[in-house]
């Protein structure tokens, strides 16, 4: 896929478009032809951070999303039902376990892992009839899930910008985003959301009534407390 964009009402909307569509050909069966860039990028970053944190690499992760992607992401593949990420991890010789050092300097070792994340197209096919989902197992809506993941990704970028000096204050970020400073301050704590909550959003098991306001307002910095407040329906313990 290649990056593309469209302008509407003075705003620019970014997309990824398949090569087949760009060449005026029908996309091959089973492939996605066009996806919104911001939502897709947010899903990739959140899935990558969640996987690396769960694998024990959390303390060594870069706070900069671009650096993290450059280091760990080899390829992202979209299908109508899932997002497949091909990841690489560079292990320095000093970190590798094995025989005692024989005096040679050695070279970094690259390992490759593939992870699959549930995903559905933002423009689902029409469905006839009524689908009944039991109240105790109601899934979170895809649009709400994506809005939460995008907000988390943006919050991480804002905190990263403040830490690295690319933005001097929340007021500067607010002007850049075209939002009120109060809005930025409300969402900024989402940068520190528990990886288990992010994972629950990614696989669609987060509580159906979870909203952006509910998650962001008075968010505690203790991950266990965050998970308790979000609700018992998400699989945070096990």
């Amino acid at each position: 896929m290649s990056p593309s964009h469209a302008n509407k009402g003075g705003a620019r909307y970014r997309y990824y478009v398949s090569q087949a569509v760009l060449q005026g050909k029908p996309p091959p069966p089973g492939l996605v032809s066009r996806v919104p860039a911001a939502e897709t990028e947010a899903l990739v970053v959140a899935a990558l951070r969640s996987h690396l944190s769960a694998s024990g690499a959390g303390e060594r992760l870069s706070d900069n999303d671009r650096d993290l992607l450059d280091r760990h992401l080899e390829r992202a593949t979209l299908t109508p039902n899932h997002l497949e990420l091909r990841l690489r991890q560079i292990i320095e010789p000093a970190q590798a376990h094995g025989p005692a050092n024989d005096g040679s300097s050695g070279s970094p070792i690259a390992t490759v892992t593939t992870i699959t994340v549930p995903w559905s197209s933002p423009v689902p096919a029409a469905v006839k009839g009524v689908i009944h989902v039991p109240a105790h197992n109601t899934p979170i809506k895809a649009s709400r899930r994506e809005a939460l993941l995008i907000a988390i990704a943006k919050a991480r970028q804002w905190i990263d910008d403040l830490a690295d000096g690319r933005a001097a204050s929340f007021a500067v970020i607010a002007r850049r985003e075209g939002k009120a400073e109060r809005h930025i301050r409300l969402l900024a704590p989402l940068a520190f959301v528990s990886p288990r909550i992010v994972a629950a959003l990614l696989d669609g098991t987060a509580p159906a009534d979870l909203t952006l306001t509910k998650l962001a307002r008075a968010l505690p910095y203790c991950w266990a407390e965050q998970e308790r407040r979000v609700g018992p329906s998400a699989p945070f313990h096990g």
Side-chain angles (χ1 to χ4, degrees), residues 97-128:
H97 299 287
N101 194 326
D102 59 3
S104 60
S105 59
S107 301
I109 302 170
T111 62
V112 177
T113 304
T114 299
I115 63 172
T116 300
V117 181
W119 179 88
S120 59
S121 172
V123 186
V127 177
K128 296 181 180 180

Side-chain angles (χ1 to χ4, degrees), residues 106-182:
S107 301
I109 302 170
T111 62
V112 177
T113 304
T114 299
I115 63 172
T116 300
V117 181
W119 179 88
S120 59
S121 172
V123 186
V127 177
K128 296 181 180 180
V130 177
I131 300 176
H132 174 71
V133 179
H136 68 278
N137 194 33
T138 304
I140 187 170
K141 291 182 178 179
S143 58
R144 181 178 294 177
R145 180 189 68 176
E146 290 173 9
L148 283 161
L149 288 169
I150 291 169
I152 291 170
K154 283 189 173 183
R156 287 174 172 170
Q157 184 62 57
W158 298 339
I159 297 300
D160 187 43
D161 288 347
L162 290 171
D164 291 348
R166 290 190 295 270
S169 65
F170 283 123
V172 172
I173 294 174
R175 288 195 294 271
R176 185 182 71 192
E177 297 285 337
K179 303 289 186 180
E181 183 177 348
R182 179 182 177 186

Side-chain angles (χ1 to χ4, degrees), residues 5-238:
H5 70 273
N7 296 313
K8 183 177 181 181
R12 173 173 288 192
Y13 299 90
R14 296 187 302 114
Y15 299 91
Y16 288 106
V17 183
S18 73
Q19 288 295 321
V21 172
L22 291 175
Q23 295 169 13
K25 304 175 183 177
L31 293 185
V32 179
S33 59
R34 173 185 171 113
V35 293
E39 290 89 337
T40 305
E41 290 164 359
L43 282 169
V44 169
V45 170
L48 177 58
R49 286 192 177 278
S50 176
H51 171 77
L52 293 175
S53 296
S55 66
E59 295 182 0
R60 303 189 299 273
L61 296 186
S62 169
D63 292 330
N64 185 285
D65 289 341
R66 183 177 294 276
D67 290 344
L68 196 71
L69 292 170
D70 288 343
R71 180 173 177 81
H72 294 284
L73 182 64
E74 189 169 288
R75 182 182 180 87
T77 303
L78 277 172
T79 77
N81 300 314
H82 67 266
L83 174 65
E84 183 180 283
L85 303 182
R86 182 179 172 86
L87 310 179
R88 61 178 176 273
Q89 184 174 1
I90 308 300
I91 303 175
E92 299 298 334
Q95 296 175 298
H97 299 287
N101 194 326
D102 59 3
S104 60
S105 59
S107 301
I109 302 170
T111 62
V112 177
T113 304
T114 299
I115 63 172
T116 300
V117 181
W119 179 88
S120 59
S121 172
V123 186
V127 177
K128 296 181 180 180
V130 177
I131 300 176
H132 174 71
V133 179
H136 68 278
N137 194 33
T138 304
I140 187 170
K141 291 182 178 179
S143 58
R144 181 178 294 177
R145 180 189 68 176
E146 290 173 9
L148 283 161
L149 288 169
I150 291 169
I152 291 170
K154 283 189 173 183
R156 287 174 172 170
Q157 184 62 57
W158 298 339
I159 297 300
D160 187 43
D161 288 347
L162 290 171
D164 291 348
R166 290 190 295 270
S169 65
F170 283 123
V172 172
I173 294 174
R175 288 195 294 271
R176 185 182 71 192
E177 297 285 337
K179 303 289 186 180
E181 183 177 348
R182 179 182 177 186
H183 174 81
I184 302 299
R185 289 185 177 276
L186 171 66
L187 298 187
L190 293 176
F192 309 103
V193 164
S194 158
R196 291 186 177 184
I197 294 178
V198 175
L201 287 167
L202 286 169
D203 61 24
T205 58
D209 62 350
L210 183 61
T211 64
L212 191 56
T213 301
K214 180 178 179 180
L215 182 59
R217 193 174 299 279
L219 184 72
Y221 286 98
C222 171
W223 285 349
E225 179 64 16
Q226 290 179 16
E227 294 158 12
R228 187 190 67 79
R229 290 193 181 189
V230 164
S233 57
F236 298 136
H237 305 287

